[in-house]
Amino acid sequence: MSLEGARAVVTAGAAGIGRAIADTFAEAGSRIAVCDVDEAALAAFRESRPDAIAVAADVSREAHLGAFFEAIEAAWGGADIVVANAGIGGPAGPIETIALDDWKACLAVNLDGAFLTCRWAARILKAQQSGLLLLTASTAGLFGYPMRSPYAAAKWGVVGLMKTLAMELGPHGVRVNALCPGAVEGPRMDRVVASESQAHGVDEAAIRRRYVDGVSMKTWVTAEEIADAALFLASPAGAKISGQALAIDGHTETLAP
Ligand code: NAD
């Protein structure tokens, strides 16, 4: 599954799932551009990939994202793959306890950030009449997710954006898909488990068990498994796949077992 000669953009690409996607794409032969808000993670990324474009940018800030894509266009003259990957977990709790500011902060990164990234991607890919726009949604964009209403609402929005843009951009030769990861081993889910443990009033081990109980294959997933699915979609093997929300999760039956 070669990406030889491709130019790939990954938001929030300095750590976590975005970093795994950037590394997998680079190993498949693609040039890489990432943005992130974590300066330390960006510095580590630059050190291991000195040829990559790595820019500090918050996806929810229009001017930041504009500067990132302008730098890409100046360096590469376009892009072939854009992964709108940035997202934050947002608050956990019954809806009556969720503060409006926390709701807005969650939607700002997960949904405004996806919109702004897609708008830039659409301009570039449509002009080229080719390419892939890949959005990182979540199984939270496919199921109800008690105590996580802002995140679920944002990720259902991401899936709706993907479906709509697949229709808008398909006639221009541009494919649009979404990745829906299940619970990914790592520091992000450690934080989510801690906050859900508080919201549900049960211990962390019980929250971890719930994620496994709701999944047919009784498993969590790894960032590398998400990156492998992204590579399949980005490679020639995915040439006719568009408008799909692909779950990489061991088959979620419910998020509320
Ligand atoms: P993470 O919390 O590990 O963060 C990855 C990177 O995102 C970090 O380097 C962070 O600095 C960066 N980031 C955060 N806010 C940003 C912003 N506003 N602008 C730019 N960069 C920003 O996250 P992750 O687990 O790698 O998640 C990546 C995507 O996958 C998100 O959209 C997330 O919602 C989704 N997802 C994650 C899981 C999981 O279990 N980790 C499951 C389903 C979906």
Side-chain angles (χ1 to χ4, degrees), residues 12 15 17 36 58-59 85 87 136-137 151 155 181-182 184 188-189 191:
I17 293 171
D36 207 290
D58 178 339
V59 296
N85 168 70
T136 309
Y151 186 69
K155 292 302 191 184
V184 177
R188 150 82 163 247
M189 277 307 293
R191 294 194 298 273

Side-chain angles (χ1 to χ4, degrees), residues 12 29 41-42 79 86 105 124 130 138 140 154 185 217 220 227 232 237 241 252 254:
L42 276 170
I124 294 171
S130 68
S138 168
E185 306 278 5
M217 293 179 71
W220 286 37
F232 171 75
I241 301 174
T252 302
T254 174

Side-chain angles (χ1 to χ4, degrees), residues 11 35 57-59 61-69 113 116-117 120:
T11 69
C35 74
D58 178 339
V59 296
R61 306 272 294 273
E62 191 169 9
H64 287 199
L65 213 56
F68 176 50
F69 276 96
L116 291 170
T117 307
W120 268 101

Side-chain angles (χ1 to χ4, degrees), residues 21-48:
I21 292 174
D23 286 341
T24 299
F25 282 10
E27 277 146 33
S30 180
R31 279 182 277 173
I32 301 294
V34 301
C35 74
D36 207 290
V37 288
D38 183 336
E39 290 284 1
L42 276 170
F45 184 89
R46 286 187 193 105
E47 201 163 314
S48 62

Side-chain angles (χ1 to χ4, degrees), residues 56-238:
D58 178 339
V59 296
S60 67
R61 306 272 294 273
E62 191 169 9
H64 287 199
L65 213 56
F68 176 50
F69 276 96
E70 277 162 13
I72 290 162
E73 288 196 291
W76 293 347
D80 306 295
I81 303 159
V82 177
V83 188
N85 168 70
I88 57 170
I95 191 162
E96 63 274 23
T97 69
I98 305 276
L100 180 59
D101 281 349
D102 292 340
W103 164 273
K104 284 183 176 169
C106 181
L107 264 69
V109 178
N110 288 297
L111 199 48
D112 296 3
F115 159 70
L116 291 170
T117 307
C118 289
R119 204 172 59 180
W120 268 101
R123 285 175 189 154
I124 294 171
L125 302 179
K126 200 169 164 180
Q128 290 173 185
Q129 297 283 296
S130 68
L132 170 68
L133 171 54
L134 196 52
L135 294 92
T136 309
S138 168
T139 46
L142 303 172
F143 292 87
Y145 196 3
M147 306 290 174
R148 297 287 300 282
S149 51
Y151 186 69
K155 292 302 191 184
W156 278 75
V158 168
V159 173
L161 192 58
M162 177 279 291
K163 276 282 178 196
T164 301
L165 297 185
M167 295 168 79
E168 283 187 25
L169 300 177
H172 301 279
V174 177
R175 298 184 295 118
V176 188
N177 291 294
L179 301 169
C180 296
V184 177
E185 306 278 5
R188 150 82 163 247
M189 277 307 293
D190 293 345
R191 294 194 298 273
V192 165
V193 165
S195 74
E196 288 186 6
S197 148
Q198 267 202 320
H200 287 274
V202 296
D203 64 26
E204 293 189 12
I207 297 289
R208 287 186 176 277
R209 264 197 312 278
R210 276 187 200 185
Y211 277 105
V212 172
D213 285 347
V215 170
S216 305
M217 293 179 71
K218 307 299 169 202
T219 186
W220 286 37
V221 292
T222 65
E224 290 67 32
E225 287 165 336
I226 310 303
D228 286 343
L231 175 60
F232 171 75
L233 290 171
S235 76

